[in-house]
Amino acid sequence: MTANIYFTGGPEAWARYKLPLLEALASAGIEAELTNECPDPAAVDYLVFLPGTVSDFTPFTRAKAVLSLWAGVETITGNATLTQPLARLVDESLAEGMTDYVTGHVLRHHLGIDRFLTATDWVKVVPPLARDRKVTVLGLGQLGTTCAAALAGLGFDVAGWSRRPKQIDGIACLSGEDGLAEALARAEILVLLLPRTPETESILNAETIAQMPEGAVVINPGRGALIDDEALLSALDAGHLGHATLDTFRVEPLPADHPFWRHPRVTVTPHIAAETRPATASKVIAENVRRAEAGEPLLYLVDRGAGY
Ligand code: NDP
Ligand code: OXD
């Protein structure tokens, strides 16, 4: 049987994904009709989904699954028309990219690199050793765990916080409200790798920022909505926070008049922390199609109740 697969992204994404998807599907032994046009939604077996495309899933009456090319699925978890199983992306390249981004930006702040980029004086500002620097990662999922482990591998004193209790070698694992307070109180550098859900919305706000140590740094490749922007700006202005490196925003692209662009203590990166790479992501999609066709459970199913 031929599986009809509809790639929902626009022409630019289609140009990048068409061949890798066809190759991955062929390697997985799937006979597939892959299309970027959808004359008959009722004939579609699988949707390979990008955010900002399909919003009404009702006409996809035959679809066996919606397979997201993004890890974050907050744009569709609440969509009542989506009755099909939803799988998110878990991919080695995403984890590698995120690890590069997080370790790079943590090291920048840990070593105080900015100071030396423009220094013209011989002032020895010696950074502590990594083992004496406390880093907290909020979110210990696929990406948070990989980043926390990489930071611990560099010698940092790492704690992580998750919804459910966890045990990970080399990481002080915390959960629950008390765990959050402890995680924040120690966070000289705080990395946000939580999904956007009703529970995590504005988790970094005036109250939680106040629990962080003076001069702490925030790095947010998770989602913009995790942060109350006004509270962050106030804490930066007051010097309570030393810097914020932000990759994700409530509105993207970040509007030209947003104060983050001009703030001396904010670094903006344009949602590039971990880009989905077609070659590896296509293999994940193909494996899930193979599983569905073989009647095996899908990988990386989203818990719609939890929102991620
Ligand atoms: P996962 O779903 O694997 O992990 C999410 C983590 O957050 C889990 O540890 C989960 O806890 C924890 N969590 C969720 N809700 C809560 C809560 N209410 N309280 C405490 N902890 C909570 O996601 P990933 O690691 O794959 O990705 C994380 C996020 O990174 C994505 O959702 C996306 O928003 C963002 N992202 C950003 C990219 C970029 O380029 N900037 C690229 C890719 C992803 P538990 O372990 O108990 O379930
Ligand atoms: C993702 C992202 O969720 O790129 O995959 O942010």
Side-chain angles (χ1 to χ4, degrees):
M1 269 247 308
T2 302
N4 290 328
I5 304 179
Y6 171 40
F7 181 88
T8 72
E12 186 271 332
W14 176 235
R16 287 188 298 120
Y17 275 96
K18 185 178 174 186
L19 279 181
L21 273 172
L22 284 171
E23 275 170 23
L25 289 161
S27 299
I30 310 291
E31 203 178 301
E33 192 69 50
L34 179 66
T35 169
N36 186 222
E37 281 156 22
C38 189
D40 181 9
V44 169
D45 294 306
Y46 301 94
L47 289 90
V48 177
F49 178 81
L50 277 168
T53 56
V54 175
S55 57
D56 182 6
F57 294 88
T58 320
F60 296 92
T61 46
R62 191 168 103 179
K64 297 174 206 167
V66 173
L67 307 170
S68 172
L69 279 172
W70 279 38
V73 283
E74 72 279 3
T75 60
I76 45 171
T77 44
N79 186 326
T81 69
L82 177 62
T83 51
Q84 301 83 352
L86 168 66
R88 70 189 198 94
L89 188 68
V90 172
D91 168 43
E92 65 195 74
S93 297
L94 269 187
E96 278 174 46
M98 190 59 85
T99 303
D100 290 352
Y101 182 92
V102 167
T103 53
H105 286 279
V106 165
L107 282 167
R108 167 190 170 194
H109 295 298
H110 164 65
L111 295 173
I113 286 174
D114 290 18
R115 184 185 191 284
F116 300 106
L117 293 178
T118 50
T120 53
D121 52 9
W122 187 264
V123 177
K124 290 194 177 228
V125 183
V126 180
L129 292 174
R131 74 162 89 111
D132 296 320
R133 178 76 74 190
K134 290 185 164 53
V135 182
T136 290
V137 181
L138 297 190
L140 285 176
Q142 297 293 333
L143 300 179
T145 299
T146 309
C147 291
L151 291 166
L154 289 170
F156 287 103
D157 179 353
V158 183
W161 182 71
S162 55
R163 190 163 63 95
R164 294 162 291 196
K166 279 197 161 55
Q167 276 199 320
I168 305 170
D169 278 353
I171 316 288
C173 293
L174 303 162
S175 59
E177 260 181 56
D178 291 350
L180 179 60
E182 193 180 333
L184 293 170
R186 72 184 299 286
E188 291 175 87
I189 300 177
L190 181 72
V191 180
L192 299 178
L193 274 170
L194 292 162
R196 178 182 187 173
T197 70
E199 284 72 37
T200 62
E201 175 85 28
S202 292
I203 196 159
L204 207 63
N205 52 47
E207 199 183 316
T208 49
I209 290 172
Q211 296 171 38
M212 294 173 65
E214 200 72 19
V217 165
V218 173
I219 299 174
N220 183 19
R223 279 295 181 262
L226 301 174
I227 297 181
D228 175 337
D229 290 359
E230 292 306 318
L232 179 71
L233 286 164
S234 298
L236 289 163
D237 287 339
H240 178 62
L241 291 180
H243 199 93
T245 293
L246 310 173
D247 185 58
T248 51
F249 304 91
R250 284 177 182 271
V251 177
E252 295 184 6
L254 184 65
D257 61 352
H258 197 288
F260 285 159
W261 281 116
R262 289 175 309 283
H263 201 288
R265 292 184 167 171
V266 175
T267 300
V268 170
T269 58
H271 204 137
I272 43 84
E275 180 74 359
T276 303
R277 316 280 157 153
T280 51
S282 296
K283 290 183 188 159
V284 179
I285 299 291
E287 170 59 10
N288 255 345
V289 174
R290 188 201 66 72
R291 282 172 168 258
E293 293 297 292
E296 295 172 22
L298 291 186
L299 297 171
Y300 318 130
L301 279 175
V302 172
D303 174 347
R304 302 280 300 274
Y308 65 99

